[in-house]
Amino acid sequence: MLARINHRGPDDSGRIQLETAWLGHQRLSIMDVTGGKQPIADETESAYVVGNGEIYNHEDIRDTLSEVRFATDSDTESAFRLVLRDGSAALYEVRGMFALAMAHTDGHGVVARDPIGIKPLYWARLGNVTLFASELRAFDEEDQPKVEAFPPGYVWSPGLPGTDVAEGTMVRFADAVPVQVRPARYAPDKSWDEAVLSQVRMVLSDSVRRHMMSDVPVGVFLSGGLDSAIVAAVAAKVADAKGERLPTFAVGTEGSADLLAARAVAEYLGTDHHEIIPTAEDLEEALDEAVTVIEHFDPALVRSAVPNLLLAREAVKHVKVVLTGEGADELFAGYSYVHEDPAFATPDALQAELVRSIETLHELNLQRCDRTTMNYGLEARVPFLDATVMEEMLALPAEWKLMGEGRTEKQLLREAFQDMVLDDILWRGKEQFGDGSGAGEVLAELVEKEKAKEGAQGAEAPAVENGWDLRSDEEIAYYRTWFRTFSGVKPNRTLGAFATA
C-alpha cells in the first residue's frame, strides 16, 4: 500500500510494526526537514503517530504542553502529544488540515481526519482488519469493493484485543462549519462599513500568513481570478518582509483569459512568475492521467484537474508548498447558481446552502486540489478554509452576500481588498478554472471525438452500480477511464458529484 502512494511523500519512507497495528508513512518534508521523520514515538516508545497535512497552531499547542519533552519540531508531534495527554476529544483544539493515525503497544489507538476533509482519508473494514490510506489507489484490487471515505471531523478508536477490533468506535470531534451566532455588532438591515471591511481583510491576511508556515519555499497558484489574487497579494507582502520574492504559477492555453489575468496580477505584485502554456496535444495527453490521479470522473473536476496537473508538475520544480483560493466562493456566495435559483433568495436559505457546500468540498474541489498537487509531492494549502476565517466570514449577515442593489457577487470581499488587488482583477467576473484556462474547450472536442468513435463501434454506455447515474457524454467518457483503474470501487461510498455534469 505504501509504495502505491510514494508520490505523496517522495522525500522519505518510514514504518513500524506493533503487535496489533502497522503504521507506514511517505514523507513530504516541509516542517523540521531534518528531524521530523515519521512514525514519531513518545519517550517510552509505547505510542506512535503518522500524519499527513499541517497543524497551523502547533506552536500554540506546544506552549500548553510545557511539561513535554518533544523529540522533533514537527507539527504532527504537537497534535500527537496533545492527544496522548488529553485524549482524542482534544482534536477539537487542532487547527489545520490532517489525517492522523496513532497506535499504542497495548492495542489502543485513534485515526482522525480534519473537520472539513481538506486531507483525504479512506478505510476498508475487512473482518478483523481495518485498513486506512490517503488514496483509493493504495488499496489492493480485491479490497477496493470495501473501501469507503472516512468522514471528516471524526475520530475512530479500534476495539481492544479480545473484542471486535475492526468495528471500533466512531466519534465526531468537530463539525466542518462551526455553529454560528450572528454577532450583535452586525446589523443585517444596514450595509457594511469600513470597520467590517478592515475585519475581513485582517482575518484573511492572518490566515494567509499562518498558511505560509514552512521550512521550505512557498508559492501561490494564480488562476487569474479574485480569490487567488487576494491570497497572492497578502503572500507577496509576507515574502517581501522576509526579503524574498513570492513565486507564483499560472496555466492556460495561449491567449486564454486566465493566463492573461494571472500575468497581470503577477506584474502588479512583482512576483517571480512562472507560466505553463499547454497545447491541445498536451491537454489530451494529460487527460487520462488526470482522471486516474484525482480518482474521480465528475466533468467539472476533470476539466480543472487537467491544467492543474500540468501546473503542479512545473511548480514542484521551484517550491514544495502552494497556496490556493479554494473556499472563497463557498464563504462569499461566489457561484452564479446561488443568485439565479429562487430557492436561495432569502438570507437563511443562502446561509444554509453556503454551509452545505462547504460540508461537501472534501469530495469535490478539495479532492481535485489535493490529488493533482500531491501527485508530484507538492502540498496545496487553502487559507480561506481556516477555522477562524470560516467562523468570522459565516458570521457576516447572509444579506450582505446577496446580489442586487448595485452589488455584484462577492462585493464585500472585493471592497475589502480594493487597495491590494489590481482593479481589472478586483472586478473581473467569475469563470470556471477549466474554462478560463482554455482546457474546457479542448476537452469538449476530445469528448465529441470519443463519442463519435464509440458510436461507430456500436459501444454501449457503461452502467454504474449502486444507483449512480452518468449524466452526460462527457461524464461517460471520463468514467470509462476511471473504471480501468477503479473497477472495484463503489462510487456512492467514496465520491461526490456536482449538481450538473
Side-chain angles (χ1 to χ4, degrees):
M1 292 179 74
L2 203 57
R4 296 189 194 113
I5 56 171
N6 174 70
H7 51 272
R8 295 186 67 87
D11 296 332
D12 197 5
S13 183
R15 63 202 74 193
I16 185 74
Q17 175 72 62
L18 304 177
E19 185 176 346
T20 59
W22 181 92
L23 297 178
H25 184 258
Q26 288 297 144
R27 187 178 183 214
L28 181 61
S29 303
I30 293 175
M31 298 299 298
D32 190 5
V33 173
T34 58
K37 181 180 173 65
Q38 299 187 31
I40 299 172
D42 68 353
E43 63 276 6
T44 63
E45 296 189 349
S46 61
Y48 297 83
V49 66
V50 292
N52 173 216
E54 299 296 335
I55 311 301
Y56 300 118
N57 66 334
H58 77 104
E59 291 183 347
D60 294 335
I61 293 173
R62 284 173 181 257
D63 289 342
T64 69
L65 300 172
S66 57
E67 75 283 4
V68 173
R69 293 183 63 184
F70 285 85
T72 74
D73 291 325
S74 165
D75 54 298
T76 297
E77 187 179 3
S78 297
F80 174 48
R81 296 292 191 153
L82 182 66
V83 172
L84 286 180
R85 190 189 72 173
D86 297 342
S88 58
L91 287 165
Y92 180 79
E93 304 299 328
V94 176
R95 295 289 182 264
M97 55 180 189
F98 57 84
L100 300 170
M102 308 179 191
H104 297 246
T105 53
D106 63 4
H108 285 87
V110 297
V111 178
R113 186 182 184 190
D114 71 73
I116 306 175
I118 301 171
K119 279 299 172 183
L121 187 61
Y122 296 97
W123 62 335
R125 287 167 283 187
L126 312 169
N128 64 347
V129 175
T130 304
L131 303 175
F132 296 87
S134 294
E135 294 185 5
L136 295 173
R137 287 183 284 176
F139 293 90
D140 291 340
E141 187 175 341
E142 61 267 26
D143 296 332
Q144 287 186 355
K146 294 287 188 179
V147 176
E148 300 179 78
F150 190 91
Y154 277 83
V155 58
W156 176 85
S157 301
L160 294 177
T163 68
D164 189 344
V165 175
E167 185 62 27
T169 304
M170 285 283 281
V171 176
R172 185 164 206 159
F173 66 87
D175 293 324
V177 177
V179 176
Q180 299 300 317
V181 177
R182 183 174 293 167
R185 67 179 182 273
Y186 296 139
D189 58 332
K190 298 180 180 179
S191 188
W192 54 84
D193 56 19
E194 182 53 41
V196 172
L197 297 177
S198 178
Q199 176 71 1
V200 169
R201 189 164 53 248
M202 180 193 72
V203 169
L204 285 169
S205 296
D206 285 347
S207 178
V208 171
R209 292 187 186 96
R210 285 196 302 276
H211 281 68
M212 293 184 76
M213 174 192 84
S214 177
D215 292 335
V216 295
V218 178
V220 174
F221 274 179
L222 278 178
S223 69
L226 172 70
D227 311 327
S228 64
I230 288 173
V231 172
V234 177
K237 285 193 170 187
V238 175
D240 185 63
K242 297 178 180 179
E244 301 170 355
R245 193 175 175 207
L246 178 74
T248 54
F249 305 89
V251 61
T253 56
E254 189 69 58
S256 60
D258 280 359
L259 190 71
L260 296 176
R263 189 178 299 166
V265 172
E267 290 176 357
Y268 181 74
L269 297 176
T271 67
D272 177 18
H273 193 54
H274 306 265
E275 294 182 343
I276 302 300
I277 306 176
T279 64
E281 290 74 21
D282 294 331
L283 295 170
E284 182 174 2
E285 288 176 5
L287 176 57
D288 285 0
E289 182 185 8
V291 172
T292 303
V293 165
I294 67 170
E295 305 185 327
H296 215 308
F297 48 83
D298 184 281
L301 290 181
V302 175
R303 285 184 222 120
S304 56
V306 172
N308 245 171
L309 199 63
L310 299 175
L311 187 60
R313 189 168 64 191
E314 173 62 24
V316 78
K317 299 174 184 177
H318 308 274
V319 298
K320 278 195 171 184
V321 178
V322 290
L323 308 186
T324 80
E326 247 75 41
D329 287 317
E330 286 75 15
L331 290 173
F332 290 95
Y335 292 116
S336 59
Y337 81 92
V338 297
H339 302 289
E340 295 167 356
D341 191 335
F344 308 122
T346 66
D348 287 345
L350 177 61
Q351 180 79 348
E353 176 58 15
L354 298 182
V355 170
R356 185 207 65 79
S357 64
I358 291 171
E359 292 173 339
T360 58
L361 267 176
H362 67 280
E363 54 192 8
L364 295 170
N365 283 340
L366 290 177
Q367 179 164 335
R368 182 259 309 151
C369 181
D370 172 86
R371 303 300 197 285
T372 55
T373 52
M374 291 298 283
N375 188 64
Y376 294 107
L378 177 69
E379 182 175 86
R381 298 179 180 177
V382 285
F384 276 99
L385 293 175
D386 175 82
T388 301
V389 172
M390 290 196 301
E391 290 169 7
E392 290 284 338
M393 300 308 108
L394 288 174
L396 297 170
E399 290 90 337
W400 291 355
K401 300 172 185 178
L402 291 167
M403 290 177 64
E405 302 176 6
R407 293 179 188 165
T408 187
E409 84 281 353
K410 296 195 287 193
Q411 180 83 20
L412 190 158
L413 180 63
R414 296 175 194 273
E415 290 186 15
F417 286 88
Q418 61 185 352
D419 294 331
M420 295 179 65
V421 176
L422 188 66
D423 248 22
D424 289 347
I425 304 301
L426 190 72
W427 301 106
R428 184 187 178 211
K430 181 175 179 58
E431 286 189 78
Q432 294 295 329
F433 179 61
D435 299 329
S437 68
E441 183 178 347
V442 173
L443 297 181
E445 292 176 0
L446 290 176
V447 169
E448 286 302 314
K449 291 179 183 178
E450 182 68 19
K451 179 183 175 183
K453 183 171 68 175
E454 296 291 346
Q457 296 172 349
E460 295 182 2
V464 184
E465 296 180 0
N466 305 306
W468 189 292
D469 295 323
L470 296 173
R471 301 161 294 171
S472 68
D473 292 332
E474 187 178 8
E475 191 163 53
I476 289 171
Y478 301 152
Y479 175 74
R480 291 184 194 277
T481 301
W482 181 90
F483 188 79
R484 287 198 290 269
T485 303
F486 305 108
S487 59
V489 173
K490 309 291 186 186
N492 65 331
R493 294 182 181 178
T494 55
L495 307 178
F498 283 107
T500 60

